[in-house]
Amino acid sequence: MNASDNQSGYDPKKYRTPDGAPSDIVIFTITSTERTTAKKALPIRELQVLLIRRKEWPFVGQWALPGGFCKETESMYECALRELQEETGVTDVHMESLNVYSKPGRDPRGWMISHAFYALVHDKWLAARRADTDAIDVRLFPAEEALRMELAFDHRDILRDALNKVREQMLTTTIAKEFLPEEFTIGELYQVIRTVVPDFEEPNFMRKITSTQSRKGIIEEAKDAGGQPKMSNRYSQRPAQLYRFTDWVPRLSIYS
Amino acid sequence: MNASDNQSGYDPKKYRTPDGAPSDIVIFTITSTERTTAKKALPIRELQVLLIRRKEWPFVGQWALPGGFCKETESMYECALRELQEETGVTDVHMESLNVYSKPGRDPRGWMISHAFYALVHDKWLAARRADTDAIDVRLFPAEEALRMELAFDHRDILRDALNKVREQMLTTTIAKEFLPEEFTIGELYQVIRTVVPDFEEPNFMRKITSTQSRKGIIEEAKDAGGQPKMSNRYSQRPAQLYRFTDWVPRLSIYS
DNA sequence: CCAATAGTGTCTATTAGACAATATCTA
DNA sequence: TAGATATTGTCTAATAGACACTATTGG
């Protein structure tokens, strides 16, 4: 539908309109690299961000967040999903709206109001893509390193906001599950949380999450067909109980 | 600047571009009406939303969220602030980004990607405006009632999202201060919270907020010039201690 | 045995949760 | 004095926080 089709006398052509509605996507993942020192040890994990290297004007050669222009036939969310799929091949993913970025002059191409999203993608989806990384100028960067880079547009602002948000969400929601396999050990979970929020320290982590009344519903023990607890010794000599997230999230409050 | 001024060969006119970038603002306030039964009693408070009645196509005569089109020289946030100022006269206000609304066909005028904000405004700012309410077709509606109304565009979706967000924020941040005077009693604070989140119940509220280690920094006692605690008997026979918010907000976590 | 992670015991201080009791005013 | 809100007392159970300790098993 073209807007001027209507019978209302409203004519959008009378007004200066935006030159495009791009979306930018901050794609986070946590990479796991096995430690060389010992076997049976937790891998080294790192929070990474996917960046692409621009081939076209403006900011040619600079690293930028993936993204692209919205079409009239899709929502901004669908647009971001599509771009995400085109960049990474990932379809089923946790993606949320972040903020709008619209400071005048932010885009040399014209008046561009960008909407940013952040997505959490499991490492396994990006593994294939990472392999031929240098060739296609799509790379993962450690989040902190990317923050120090000179990115195209106002993408550093976007990245900073996304990082703040993902850190907050890591502690207040169960997004940790996006970085974990279906079944995981307490050690893995703790490590994932600490990878995103380094200053999170909780010596009694296991006890708190498994046996305090107000939190024990967040995760549950994984059991096999026979109802026996499932264990894993992938990361430790002593087999560890496997857990899975339930779909319950406690309601937080600063007042209670 | 017009986009086609650049030397890049990029021409936004080649693409279908949005027909406008509107912002919509969900303006919340809490009204206080004195109880007629007794004096010296807490007023009846209610969470309200400001709606305007549309005079122009489309959705003529229907109630809608205030908002308007963004100009090329301002950011979406500035646009929303400006619209808010035009609607309510309020300038200094707590406003946050909510989400983008961009479902194709959401606006009969054309391809309009709207960005919604929500703002919290103290009753006192809207009091004058409320007076001549019927005349200008700007009114406050109880939030729950507004949710059941048939609003223009997808404004019901926006309102629902805003209501969910303000409820979450009420419990996890100190936005309660936006609805309170600088100095307030514990009773007032509790009432404001319950006005926004009716199922929040905390029998030991006062004790928790004043004397638990992890929370006592959220508010502090108000003291007069001589260092004596300031009391108020506005809402009670027995004078109550006045408090003020500090600028500290505890970090919440489902894991600790 | 050592290394590395999993998980438990234990002790004290703090907090939660539920009610009862008392305090301080005004009308 | 009755009524309304403020504030404290009290008791039990749960949780926090710190640290030491035991468990399991590959190498």
Side-chain angles (χ1 to χ4, degrees):
Chain A
M1 180 190 89
N2 190 301
S4 49
D5 291 346
N6 67 56
Q7 315 290 310
S8 63
Y10 181 92
D11 180 8
K13 296 198 192 70
K14 288 195 306 193
Y15 306 100
R16 173 80 175 96
T17 60
D19 296 315
S23 70
D24 293 303
I25 313 147
V26 185
I27 303 171
F28 288 107
T29 195
I30 291 185
T31 55
S32 301
T33 47
E34 274 184 26
R35 255 187 279 189
T36 50
T37 48
K39 296 285 172 325
K40 295 282 177 167
L42 284 164
I44 296 165
R45 294 187 205 249
E46 194 167 25
L47 181 66
Q48 311 241 12
V49 172
L50 188 142
L51 299 178
I52 61 164
R53 190 167 197 152
R54 292 187 57 83
K55 286 197 161 57
E56 290 174 18
W57 183 88
F59 299 104
V60 176
Q62 258 178 275
W63 292 93
L65 295 172
F69 287 101
C70 191
K71 300 173 180 172
E72 194 181 4
T73 52
E74 66 188 1
S75 66
M76 288 302 299
Y77 190 87
E78 289 160 350
C79 166
L81 270 189
R82 176 174 54 73
E83 297 289 343
L84 177 62
Q85 203 275 324
E86 288 170 16
E87 293 299 342
T88 68
V90 178
T91 52
D92 186 31
V93 75
H94 179 97
M95 192 178 79
E96 281 183 50
S97 167
L98 179 61
N99 208 338
V100 64
Y101 295 85
S102 52
K103 201 173 63 185
R106 63 175 291 281
D107 189 324
R109 290 169 298 190
W111 182 18
M112 303 291 184
I113 296 174
S114 170
H115 197 85
F117 295 82
Y118 73 97
L120 307 179
V121 177
H122 196 287
D123 184 37
K124 66 186 174 191
W125 298 114
L126 296 180
R129 180 79 31 163
R130 260 200 303 158
D132 53 355
T133 245
D134 290 344
I136 54 174
D137 273 4
V138 177
R139 261 191 64 195
L140 292 176
F141 290 87
E144 289 295 345
E145 183 184 333
L147 252 193
R148 291 191 300 268
M149 290 166 59
E150 234 182 73
L151 303 179
F153 305 101
D154 49 4
H155 287 187
R156 190 170 11 192
D157 295 336
I158 300 179
L159 177 57
R160 190 188 358 85
D161 294 349
L163 206 46
N164 286 338
K165 181 142 181 177
V166 77
R167 285 188 170 137
E168 189 207 306
Q169 300 260 99
M170 177 57 64
L171 295 183
T172 58
T173 74
T174 54
I175 57 165
K177 78 173 117 201
E178 306 300 329
F179 294 129
L180 287 167
E182 186 77 11
E183 300 177 347
F184 51 86
T185 65
I186 302 288
E188 273 182 291
L189 171 58
Y190 186 56
Q191 200 198 15
V192 162
I193 297 171
R194 299 221 4 158
T195 299
V196 177
V197 190
D199 63 343
F200 177 81
E201 279 181 50
E202 196 54 62
N204 275 330
F205 183 72
M206 159 171 291
R207 180 172 284 155
K208 279 198 170 180
I209 200 169
T210 57
S211 50
T212 61
Q213 194 59 36
S214 57
R215 278 183 285 262
K216 67 192 324 182
I218 299 172
I219 57 172
E220 63 187 6
E221 294 185 2
K223 301 193 191 281
D224 64 19
Q228 291 306 303
K230 286 172 81 172
M231 314 290 278
S232 158
N233 66 342
R234 197 161 26 138
Y235 301 126
S236 57
Q237 316 289 22
R238 175 175 172 174
Q241 173 67 49
L242 286 171
Y243 289 85
R244 56 172 72 247
F245 276 100
T246 67
D247 45 13
W248 181 72
V249 183
R251 181 211 245 181
L252 293 174
S253 163
I254 61 173
Y255 299 114
S256 62
Chain B
M1 177 190 91
N2 189 300
S4 49
D5 291 347
N6 68 56
Q7 314 290 313
S8 64
Y10 181 92
D11 181 8
K13 297 199 194 69
K14 287 195 305 192
Y15 306 100
R16 174 80 174 96
T17 61
D19 295 316
S23 70
D24 293 303
I25 313 147
V26 186
I27 304 172
F28 289 106
T29 195
I30 291 185
T31 55
S32 301
T33 48
E34 275 183 26
R35 256 185 278 188
T36 51
T37 48
K39 295 284 176 317
K40 295 281 177 169
L42 283 164
I44 296 165
R45 294 187 206 249
E46 195 167 24
L47 181 66
Q48 310 240 14
V49 172
L50 189 141
L51 298 177
I52 62 164
R53 190 167 196 151
R54 293 188 55 84
K55 284 197 161 57
E56 290 175 18
W57 184 88
F59 299 104
V60 176
Q62 258 178 273
W63 292 94
L65 296 172
F69 288 101
C70 191
K71 300 173 181 172
E72 194 182 2
T73 52
E74 66 188 1
S75 66
M76 289 303 298
Y77 190 86
E78 288 161 351
C79 166
L81 270 189
R82 176 174 54 74
E83 297 291 343
L84 176 63
Q85 203 275 325
E86 288 170 16
E87 293 299 342
T88 68
V90 178
T91 52
D92 186 30
V93 75
H94 178 98
M95 193 177 79
E96 283 182 50
S97 166
L98 180 61
N99 208 337
V100 63
Y101 295 86
S102 53
K103 203 173 60 183
R106 63 176 290 281
D107 189 324
R109 290 170 298 190
W111 182 20
M112 303 291 185
I113 296 173
S114 170
H115 197 85
F117 295 82
Y118 75 97
L120 308 179
V121 177
H122 196 287
D123 185 36
K124 66 186 175 191
W125 298 113
L126 296 180
R129 180 78 32 162
R130 261 200 301 159
D132 52 356
T133 247
D134 289 346
I136 55 173
D137 275 5
V138 176
R139 263 192 61 195
L140 292 176
F141 290 86
E144 288 295 343
E145 183 184 334
L147 252 193
R148 291 190 301 267
M149 290 166 58
E150 233 182 74
L151 303 179
F153 306 100
D154 49 4
H155 286 186
R156 187 168 14 188
D157 295 335
I158 301 179
L159 177 57
R160 190 188 356 87
D161 294 349
L163 205 46
N164 286 337
K165 180 142 180 176
V166 77
R167 284 187 171 138
E168 189 208 304
Q169 300 261 100
M170 177 58 63
L171 296 182
T172 58
T173 72
T174 54
I175 58 166
K177 76 173 123 206
E178 308 299 328
F179 295 130
L180 287 167
E182 186 77 10
E183 298 177 347
F184 51 86
T185 65
I186 301 289
E188 274 182 290
L189 170 59
Y190 186 56
Q191 201 198 15
V192 162
I193 297 171
R194 300 221 3 157
T195 300
V196 176
V197 190
D199 63 343
F200 177 81
E201 279 181 50
E202 196 54 64
N204 274 331
F205 183 72
M206 157 170 291
R207 181 170 284 157
K208 279 198 170 181
I209 200 169
T210 57
S211 49
T212 61
Q213 194 59 34
S214 57
R215 276 183 287 261
K216 66 192 323 181
I218 299 173
I219 57 173
E220 63 187 5
E221 293 186 2
K223 299 191 191 284
D224 64 18
Q228 289 307 302
K230 288 172 79 174
M231 315 289 280
S232 159
N233 66 342
R234 197 163 26 140
Y235 301 127
S236 58
Q237 317 288 22
R238 172 174 173 176
Q241 174 66 48
L242 286 171
Y243 290 85
R244 57 171 71 248
F245 276 100
T246 67
D247 45 13
W248 181 73
V249 184
R251 181 212 244 180
L252 293 174
S253 163
I254 61 173
Y255 298 114
S256 63

